[in-house]
Amino acid sequence: MTQFKPVKTNRIFEDVLVQLKEAILSERFKPGEKLPSERELSLEFQVSRGVIREAIRALELRGFVGVRQGPAGGAFVTDLTFNQVGNAFLDLFKTSKLSMKDIAQVRLHVEPEVARLAALNYNASHQDMLLKVERDEHVDYDSDADRIDRLTRVHKTLARICGNPFFEVIVRSMLMLTAEVVLTVASDHDLLHGPGEHVSIIHAVMAGDGDGAAREMARHLQQFSQNLIEMEKFYRQRYL
């Protein structure tokens, strides 16, 4: 057994959740590993199986575990990804704690700096990657979701090249939220953001021109961000 501390407070569910989450984050349980059964955990925490079930469900909703059914089932630790942060952004947006204006303001501060750092970190190994994501914007797409994915790959690639994983987390999270609004509201994605709009950014990055890359990214985001702010009104009227 893992020697969890028995829970003896008025916040039983929260305390169980905190201990289980800390066990996962400290890698006492590694990705792919199965947590002890409800019965085992209830005995160790000295709480009911209902409390354990509620804590496991909360871990599942937060992306820490995946629950499988059947004789070999149970709660298995997931490999945490950037999506956990993106889902949190999306939840905050849907509960009106974040607005598209907030996101646009942060993007205008963060993404030009990401482009600048990408230019400074650029080397020959990045060339094929950048040219490919630009070419992919012009390829026929399978669905609207595929279309949005292709049009955001440049932003994700620059965030990866910039060398700061926290910037990459922020950029990917903002793009996830942007995609939610665009896919829900926009009827013509080409009018909002067509292929080829990233060419000047890519050329500046490949030339090692940090200031130029930042300037081109800011220019690209200005009008696009204003469109998203307008789209948020329709999103909330129709779907929230």
Side-chain angles (χ1 to χ4, degrees), residues 144-165:
D144 287 342
D146 179 49
R147 177 63 159 166
I148 298 303
D149 175 60
R150 291 176 185 276
L151 291 175
T152 57
R153 286 179 189 174
V154 167
H155 295 265
K156 295 172 185 174
T157 301
L158 293 178
R160 189 182 315 141
I161 292 173
C162 87
N164 186 320

Side-chain angles (χ1 to χ4, degrees), residues 128-196:
D128 289 345
M129 188 191 315
L130 282 172
L131 293 177
K132 182 179 187 307
V133 294
E134 203 287 317
R135 286 197 304 270
D136 284 348
E137 294 184 358
H138 304 268
V139 175
D140 289 340
Y141 53 94
D142 299 326
S143 63
D144 287 342
D146 179 49
R147 177 63 159 166
I148 298 303
D149 175 60
R150 291 176 185 276
L151 291 175
T152 57
R153 286 179 189 174
V154 167
H155 295 265
K156 295 172 185 174
T157 301
L158 293 178
R160 189 182 315 141
I161 292 173
C162 87
N164 186 320
F166 194 58
F167 271 149
E168 186 174 0
V169 170
I170 295 171
V171 169
R172 284 180 171 270
S173 299
M174 293 189 295
L175 290 173
M176 180 184 291
L177 177 49
T178 298
E180 164 74 14
V181 174
V182 172
L183 287 170
T184 303
V185 177
S187 58
D188 191 335
H189 299 145
D190 279 338
L191 289 178
L192 182 66
H193 185 323

Side-chain angles (χ1 to χ4, degrees), residues 52-120:
I52 298 299
R53 197 172 300 119
E54 188 177 3
I56 296 296
R57 175 60 176 158
L59 287 173
E60 183 182 20
L61 290 173
R62 289 163 171 78
F64 285 91
V65 302
V67 177
R68 305 175 195 170
Q69 303 301 321
F76 291 81
V77 177
T78 59
D79 189 4
L80 294 175
T81 67
F82 294 149
N83 286 343
Q84 274 71 40
V85 180
N87 288 333
F89 274 38
L90 188 55
D91 289 341
L92 289 169
F93 177 76
K94 288 184 174 181
T95 54
S96 298
K97 293 180 174 64
L98 284 179
S99 70
M100 194 52 66
K101 183 178 180 181
D102 299 326
I103 299 297
Q105 186 178 46
V106 173
R107 288 191 71 177
L108 283 168
H109 279 82
V110 169
E111 291 207 62
E113 176 64 9
V114 166
R116 187 185 74 82
L117 290 173
L120 298 180

